[in-house]
Amino acid sequence: MSTRSVAVVTLGCTRNEVDSEELAGRLAAEGWTLVDDASEADVAVVNTCGFVEQAKKDSIDALLEASDLKRSGRTQKVVAVGCLAERYGEQLAAELPEADAVLGFDSYADMSTHLRGILAGERPASHAPRDRRRLLPLAPAARHTAAVTVALPGHQQGAPEPGVALADVAPASGPRVVRARLDGRPWAPLKIASGCDRRCAFCAIPMFRGAFVSRRPEEILAEATWLGERGVREVFLVSENTTSYGKDLGDLRLVDRLLPELVAVPGVDRVRVSYLQPAEVRPDLLDAMASTPGVAPYFDISFQHASGPLLRRMRRFGDRTAFLDLLDQVRSRVPEAGIRTNVIVGFPGETEEDLAELTAFLEEARLDVVGVFGYSDEDGTEAEGYEGKLDPAVVAERVAEVTALVEELTAQRAEERIGSVVEVLVEGTDDDLDGPRLLGRAGQQGPDVDGVTYLEDEDGGMPSCRVGEIVRARVVATEGVDLVAVPLTGAADRVQL
């Protein structure tokens, strides 16, 4: 078997990162050489995002950039996978002939065979999209029996026996884990479920990700152990809806019991929970997150808006009063909690009164991070057919207004943390005009988009902390939403490697 090389390029969210690392593990197990640079690979596999308009454009740009390498680099073929490929399939292939293949989720289990055929000159039929919500039974409890016939990326289905001796594709014991780390970060996402049963009027994700399916706890723990053995200090639990975890396994409190087991995994010192639906947050879940040592004081709650009538139009629940009460419940348990959310501005029918309700909520909520998105139609969603669409210029104006407010409020929230002690996972250095700076993330800061913490010694220099350490530090200043902190010097203030 000739050795071929492949680069997996990832767009979009941390859930996609898990899928990419599983794909990379499958390919490595089949004898492919993984490379970081697409220009040095025989095949570039681009794991696309299909969530919102900008993400789609970014994915198409990445495919075009990879295709350019066929003229200037080693790259022979470019293959589109991921959410954009799953969602649009044949349409994407017709509009983007630069891609040599467009493959959906059903191709992941046999990706090696597909890629070898493509290198040999074959052009497989492009993926034909379908509504993946209809592939599993309506009743959650009946899904696990049927799920073996439906592709669930990131769920380690049908893990292949390795064709080569690779330590990175076989754990010492327990369920097999086929995954290859594509970066050296001391944190990693870990998928606990896929799909969503909610029917938010603006969201297309359930159509191309399918119905909600939880992974079994033993599989999650096996993968966490695998990650801990490879230097991962923080495990970031990801899904489309973590508050639904366990409902298809007959126990909605399953995640409460899973958290202590995850923080007990050797090598893993911190577990972070993401994507909580406010209508599904249980007091028991808050208690478990608050009382389990090692669970990050971080609450990622998807509010989307704060006007009750507009939320109903979105097919969601809640209002400003209910959301503020939920935040009080969080802070009564975890006073130092970091809380983030996303909001949609300019949804069809949004009035000035609705917008005022949202801004009033944001001013009262004291959130650490708020992602602000302007509404745009998504193919196949209920809201696409709504009347009352706002002029794009009005949407842009409202986005600018809310964004400016959020930037001011989140900077103020960061300033409130001056003087507090935080636990920072050291991640690396960042080049600054005045030289490199050591940075990491406090427990209150999620990966990639929630700000960072710069670590300095008392003289403003770079402290001698190693990547992967979790360091207790006192916040002394802020830079927007970013924190500046000085490590405490006591022996108890570091978790040693």
Side-chain angles (χ1 to χ4, degrees):
M1 181 185 297
S2 61
T3 300
R4 292 291 193 174
S5 59
V6 60
V8 182
V9 180
T10 309
L11 282 296
C13 66
T14 48
R15 299 183 291 274
N16 250 19
E17 292 181 20
V18 175
D19 297 351
S20 285
E21 292 199 346
E22 184 186 275
L23 267 179
R26 289 178 182 275
L27 292 169
E30 296 284 349
W32 289 78
T33 298
L34 304 176
V35 298
D36 296 329
D37 189 341
S39 67
E40 298 176 0
D42 295 312
V43 184
V45 175
V46 181
N47 189 357
T48 60
C49 179
F51 179 41
V52 293
E53 197 62 34
Q54 186 57 53
K56 298 174 195 174
K57 292 177 181 177
D58 292 343
S59 293
I60 290 171
D61 288 345
L63 286 164
L64 291 173
E65 289 173 12
S67 296
D68 287 343
L69 298 176
K70 290 190 284 186
R71 293 188 293 272
S72 60
R74 171 176 172 168
T75 310
Q76 299 175 46
K77 301 293 181 180
V78 173
V79 176
V81 299
C83 293
L84 191 69
E86 176 65 37
R87 186 175 179 185
Y88 292 103
E90 297 161 324
Q91 179 185 343
L92 177 64
E95 295 180 2
L96 196 72
E98 292 87 349
D100 297 285
V102 176
L103 303 177
F105 297 151
D106 295 333
S107 301
Y108 283 24
D110 201 22
M111 186 60 67
S112 176
T113 300
H114 288 296
L115 297 189
R116 291 188 185 280
I118 292 164
L119 276 175
E122 299 174 10
R123 192 168 182 103
S126 298
H127 170 64
R130 51 183 172 168
D131 189 339
R132 296 188 75 85
R133 293 174 296 186
R134 300 177 180 176
L135 300 183
L136 289 172
L138 185 63
R143 287 176 190 162
H144 269 265
T145 301
V148 295
T149 63
V150 175
L152 299 170
H155 282 231
Q156 296 283 318
Q157 294 170 302
E161 291 298 322
V164 292
L166 288 174
D168 278 349
V169 298
S173 62
R176 282 188 50 75
V177 175
V178 176
R179 178 172 176 173
R181 297 300 315 282
L182 295 177
D183 57 62
R185 301 176 307 195
W187 70 273
L190 173 56
K191 187 174 287 191
I192 66 170
S194 290
C196 186
D197 289 339
R198 303 188 70 87
R199 294 295 180 263
C200 302
F202 53 83
C203 184
I205 289 176
M207 286 186 285
F208 58 84
R209 279 291 185 177
F212 185 88
V213 180
S214 303
R215 293 182 68 192
R216 295 191 182 278
E218 59 269 24
E219 298 170 1
I220 295 169
L221 290 167
E223 193 163 342
T225 300
W226 186 92
L227 292 168
E229 291 170 350
R230 286 154 182 78
V232 171
R233 307 300 302 281
E234 177 184 305
V235 168
F236 185 35
L237 305 184
V238 298
S239 70
E240 274 77 29
N241 180 3
T242 296
T243 37
S244 281
Y245 179 76
K247 73 175 186 178
D248 50 326
L249 298 175
D251 187 356
L252 267 174
R253 291 178 172 78
L254 201 55
V255 70
D256 307 11
R257 296 193 294 276
L258 181 62
L259 292 176
E261 295 185 71
L262 283 167
V263 297
V265 168
V268 173
D269 292 306
R270 190 157 78 189
V271 173
R272 186 178 300 276
V273 180
S274 73
Y275 216 80
L276 307 176
Q277 285 287 347
E280 299 180 31
V281 173
R282 297 173 285 103
D284 289 351
L285 175 59
L286 297 181
D287 290 341
M289 293 177 66
S291 64
T292 306
V295 173
Y298 175 81
F299 295 80
D300 173 16
I301 306 175
S302 175
F303 290 122
Q304 302 298 349
H305 211 279
S307 165
L310 194 72
L311 283 163
R312 305 300 177 274
R313 190 167 166 83
M314 290 179 169
R315 303 298 184 201
R316 294 178 64 83
F317 302 94
D319 54 29
R320 173 161 59 120
T321 300
F323 293 165
L324 290 173
D325 177 68
L326 176 56
L327 295 178
D328 286 343
Q329 292 182 52
V330 170
R331 291 183 173 124
S332 69
R333 293 167 170 83
V334 188
E336 75 280 12
I339 304 172
R340 81 167 328 273
T341 197
N342 293 321
V343 297
I344 297 173
V345 178
F347 189 78
E350 183 186 60
T351 64
E352 291 286 354
E353 290 76 17
D354 293 325
L355 186 65
E357 192 73 1
L358 174 61
T359 56
F361 166 71
L362 294 172
E363 289 168 351
E364 294 178 76
R366 296 172 51 241
L367 300 170
D368 293 83
V369 179
V370 181
V372 182
F373 295 88
Y375 173 82
S376 61
D377 285 337
E378 285 295 318
D379 297 334
T381 61
E382 180 181 348
E384 184 184 24
Y386 278 5
E387 297 180 351
K389 301 283 178 63
L390 276 65
D391 186 278
V394 173
V395 175
E397 180 181 333
R398 292 184 178 184
V399 168
E401 176 187 344
V402 175
T403 299
L405 174 64
V406 160
E407 289 176 351
E408 179 182 354
L409 293 172
T410 53
Q412 291 173 2
R413 177 62 179 143
E415 289 175 357
E416 293 176 9
R417 297 196 181 277
I418 293 176
S420 66
V421 174
V422 294
E423 294 187 348
V424 181
L425 174 64
V426 182
E427 296 189 357
T429 57
D430 180 31
D431 290 330
D432 188 82
L433 292 176
D434 297 323
R437 305 176 74 184
L438 191 67
L439 62 81
R441 284 179 300 106
Q444 292 84 352
Q445 296 170 315
D448 296 335
V449 294
D450 288 1
V452 299
T453 298
Y454 293 103
L455 292 170
E456 300 178 351
D457 60 29
E458 292 182 350
D459 298 322
M462 187 182 296
S464 57
C465 304
R466 292 176 293 173
V467 171
E469 284 186 309
I470 294 180
V471 180
R472 284 170 53 83
R474 189 173 303 279
V475 179
V476 296
T478 64
E479 299 175 8
V481 297
D482 297 331
L483 307 178
V484 180
V486 174
L488 302 178
T489 56
D493 294 320
R494 291 191 183 181
V495 178
Q496 295 295 331
L497 293 172

